[in-house]
Amino acid sequence: ADAMGYRIKHLASVVSDAKKNSLFIGVYPALIPKTHILGRVDDVYNAVCVSGDVVGSTIHIGRGAGQDATASAVISDIADAVFTTQGAGLMNLIDEKNDPLTSTLEELQIASMEEVKSSFYLRLSVIDQPGVLSKVTAVMAKEKISIARVVQQLDSKPSNKKVKASAVLTLTTHQCSESAIARAVRSLKRSSPVLSKPFLLRIANFND
């Protein structure tokens, strides 16, 4: 990932599609370009990126861990628990009864995996012999997945000792559906030239 210009970060993602009235929510490790500000958020800091149709992306960064930040969060949770046990209930900043968005939220549908799009990073340990790359690309083509980049290197630590020579194939894709890449990974896992379980990560896209 580092050699390809990415850093691995843990993301919580919420994406809504107003036209389809659908919502995708996910928590997963993902690759973020080193050039993006979220790729440089480290140590005790967390960041939130909010993207809008007109405003574009706005980013908010602050301490999310460490002594003071953790203490603040714990005290807040304790206070909420005390108020709840005393019957006060949690503070709700939204007037759900009169908020015009409430009815819209009630009609939201969870997005299907066919609707969720992303670019992906895929790493494969394969037998080092002619024709293997063409078999891999054929599987991707069958699912209509376009490959953006391919890097092949000799495997210094082969996963299968019975194989004389193995290589590591690293691919990045253009945007495709979650269901398409899942089908491709299942096919590659069953393919004889592939020596171990494929390693897959999403590549974050912030639509800047």
Side-chain angles (χ1 to χ4, degrees), residues 62-128:
R63 288 182 175 87
Q67 182 176 344
D68 293 337
T70 302
S72 174
V74 171
I75 291 171
S76 176
D77 289 343
I78 292 173
D80 285 343
V82 171
F83 289 141
T84 302
T85 56
Q86 293 181 348
L90 296 178
M91 182 181 293
N92 194 340
L93 299 179
I94 299 176
D95 183 359
E96 295 183 0
K97 292 183 179 179
N98 300 313
D99 193 317
L101 290 177
T102 300
S103 59
T104 303
L105 293 173
E106 289 175 350
E107 296 170 359
L108 276 175
Q109 303 293 321
I110 300 298
S112 69
M113 290 298 97
E114 195 64 43
E115 295 175 318
V116 179
K117 309 286 185 180
S118 180
S119 299
F120 292 91
Y121 167 97
L122 178 63
R123 189 174 69 229
L124 303 168
S125 177
V126 299
I127 299 172
D128 187 19

Side-chain angles (χ1 to χ4, degrees), residues 26-196:
V27 179
Y28 46 80
L31 295 180
I32 299 180
K34 292 180 181 179
T35 54
H36 196 281
I37 189 169
L38 292 186
R40 301 194 295 273
V41 176
D42 291 312
D43 301 323
V44 300
Y45 290 91
N46 289 341
V48 176
C49 177
V50 181
S51 297
D53 293 340
V54 178
V55 73
S57 295
T58 60
I59 296 175
H60 312 268
I61 300 175
R63 288 182 175 87
Q67 182 176 344
D68 293 337
T70 302
S72 174
V74 171
I75 291 171
S76 176
D77 289 343
I78 292 173
D80 285 343
V82 171
F83 289 141
T84 302
T85 56
Q86 293 181 348
L90 296 178
M91 182 181 293
N92 194 340
L93 299 179
I94 299 176
D95 183 359
E96 295 183 0
K97 292 183 179 179
N98 300 313
D99 193 317
L101 290 177
T102 300
S103 59
T104 303
L105 293 173
E106 289 175 350
E107 296 170 359
L108 276 175
Q109 303 293 321
I110 300 298
S112 69
M113 290 298 97
E114 195 64 43
E115 295 175 318
V116 179
K117 309 286 185 180
S118 180
S119 299
F120 292 91
Y121 167 97
L122 178 63
R123 189 174 69 229
L124 303 168
S125 177
V126 299
I127 299 172
D128 187 19
Q129 65 183 25
V132 171
L133 181 56
S134 64
K135 290 181 180 179
V136 172
T137 55
V139 170
M140 305 296 273
K142 182 181 178 182
E143 299 298 339
K144 296 181 173 56
I145 299 173
S146 177
I147 297 174
R149 184 179 180 184
V150 179
V151 177
Q152 180 173 337
Q153 297 175 309
L154 287 176
D155 193 352
S156 58
K157 297 179 180 179
S159 56
N160 191 328
K161 302 298 183 181
K162 297 180 180 179
V163 176
K164 291 183 179 180
S166 62
V168 176
L169 275 180
T170 305
L171 303 87
T172 59
T173 75
H174 293 291
Q175 284 210 346
C176 65
S177 70
E178 293 268 353
S179 55
I181 195 69
R183 289 192 298 268
V185 168
R186 286 196 295 269
S187 296
L188 290 169
K189 189 176 179 180
R190 295 192 298 265
S191 180
S192 56
V194 177
L195 300 174
S196 59

Side-chain angles (χ1 to χ4, degrees), residues 1-2 4-11 28-34 39 118-122 170-172 199-206:
D2 183 67
M4 300 181 81
Y6 294 105
R7 299 188 70 185
I8 299 176
K9 296 291 183 180
H10 199 68
L11 293 185
Y28 46 80
L31 295 180
I32 299 180
K34 292 180 181 179
S118 180
S119 299
F120 292 91
Y121 167 97
L122 178 63
T170 305
L171 303 87
T172 59
F199 178 78
L200 182 72
L201 284 176
R202 294 176 179 88
I203 300 177
N205 178 20
F206 299 100

